[in-house]
């Protein structure tokens, strides 16, 4: 596997150095969450591209990092963490500058819940490997399934956030919920053609996210 090793300048103005390596695929929304979080927290890292289309996740090198063959994987000195939810919490606990979880118990729980819905109940059901397996095993067109699962999750998120959302998902500061929502909404719109008019709160948040320099810097483009 030939990894694309690039030193990210996202967060290059951070007043500390780190030895982070992020194994990522540019179009993976899971990986994007972590790139976005790193950028928001101002943490420099080394970017290592794992091309899922070429099957680089099945290489012996990557399998030693994550036997599940999923991205992202974060290597932080001698600590190896896979799964974006776990990686986010690791970053939040170790790198405490610019916190992305609120102190208020209610808002903290809400952020964890929103992130969990995206991480557990939406994205895994339309990830690339699942859609490929669906088409291979059942001969089914995968896009309608992806749209169904996203619409179901977005309907729940719309109801959950309608009384809390302001500039951002849970108020006037950007937090974990936004980090997980932003790439998910982007993929829903750009990749799967989901009609966002049914979700006015999420649509308004999406417009806010698109204007953020950190979101733009961490995007696949």
């Amino acid at each position: 596997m030939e990894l694309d090793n690039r030193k990210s300048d996202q967060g290059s103005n951070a007043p500390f150095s780190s030895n982070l390596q992020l194994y990522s695929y540019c179009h993976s929304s899971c990986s994007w969450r972590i790139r976005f979080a790193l950028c928001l927290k101002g943490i420099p890292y080394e970017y290592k591209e794992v091309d899922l289309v070429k099957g680089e996740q099945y290489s012996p090198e990557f399998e030693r990092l994550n036997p599940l063959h999923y991205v992202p994987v974060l290597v932080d000195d001698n600590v190896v963490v896979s799964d974006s939810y776990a990686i986010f919490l690791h970053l939040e606990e170790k790198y405490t500058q610019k916190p992305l979880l609120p102190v208020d118990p209610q808002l903290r729980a809400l952020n964890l819940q929103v992130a969990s819905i995206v991480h557990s109940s939406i994205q895994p059901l339309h990830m690339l490997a699942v859609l490929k397996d669906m088409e291979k095993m059942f001969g089914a067109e995968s896009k309608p399934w992806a749209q169904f699962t996203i619409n179901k999750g977005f309907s729940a998120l719309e109801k959950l956030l309608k009384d809390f959302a302001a500039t951002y998902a849970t108020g006037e500061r950007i937090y974990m919920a936004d980090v997980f929502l932003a790439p998910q909404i982007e993929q829903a719109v750009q990749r799967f053609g989901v009609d966002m008019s049914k979700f006015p709160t999420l649509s308004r948040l999406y417009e806010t996210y698109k204007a953020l320099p950190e979101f733009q810097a961490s995007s696949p483009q």
Side-chain angles (χ1 to χ4, degrees), residues 6 18 24 28 36 57 67 69 72 77 97 110 114-115 128 131 138 140 152 156 170 177 182 197 204 211 215-216:
R6 287 174 282 172
S18 69
S24 171
S28 160
F36 190 21
Q57 68 273 30
H69 310 114
D77 290 327
Q97 77 282 8
L110 180 60
V114 170
L128 181 62
L131 298 184
F138 305 110
K152 182 179 179 181
T170 60
S197 65
R204 180 175 53 78
F215 183 70
Q216 296 168 7

Side-chain angles (χ1 to χ4, degrees), residues 179-205:
V179 170
F180 278 65
L181 278 171
Q184 178 62 65
I185 299 174
E186 172 80 6
Q187 285 218 342
V189 173
Q190 299 298 330
R191 182 179 173 192
F192 297 111
V194 169
D195 178 10
M196 292 300 295
S197 65
K198 297 176 287 185
F199 313 113
T201 301
L202 297 183
S203 293
R204 180 175 53 78
L205 291 172

Side-chain angles (χ1 to χ4, degrees), residues 107-195:
L107 290 182
R108 191 180 186 92
L110 180 60
N111 273 269
L112 292 168
Q113 184 178 1
V114 170
S116 183
I117 289 173
V118 172
H119 174 263
S120 302
S121 301
I122 301 178
Q123 190 276 331
L125 300 177
H126 68 72
M127 61 190 296
L128 181 62
V130 170
L131 298 184
K132 283 187 173 181
D133 286 344
M134 180 182 294
E135 293 175 352
K136 182 179 179 180
M137 295 172 67
F138 305 110
E141 185 181 352
S142 60
K143 187 174 181 178
W145 166 255
Q147 291 173 331
F148 169 78
T149 60
I150 293 169
N151 279 310
K152 182 179 179 181
F154 279 9
S155 294
L157 290 168
E158 184 75 20
K159 295 172 184 176
L160 189 64
L161 293 173
K162 66 177 182 178
D163 294 329
F164 293 92
T167 302
Y168 298 106
T170 60
E172 293 300 332
R173 292 189 60 180
I174 191 165
Y175 284 126
M176 183 183 191
D178 305 289
V179 170
F180 278 65
L181 278 171
Q184 178 62 65
I185 299 174
E186 172 80 6
Q187 285 218 342
V189 173
Q190 299 298 330
R191 182 179 173 192
F192 297 111
V194 169
D195 178 10

Side-chain angles (χ1 to χ4, degrees), residues 1 56-69:
M1 176 175 74
E56 291 180 347
Q57 68 273 30
Y58 298 109
S59 71
E61 178 187 350
F62 189 74
E63 185 170 295
R64 285 192 293 271
L65 297 173
N66 186 4
L68 270 177
H69 310 114

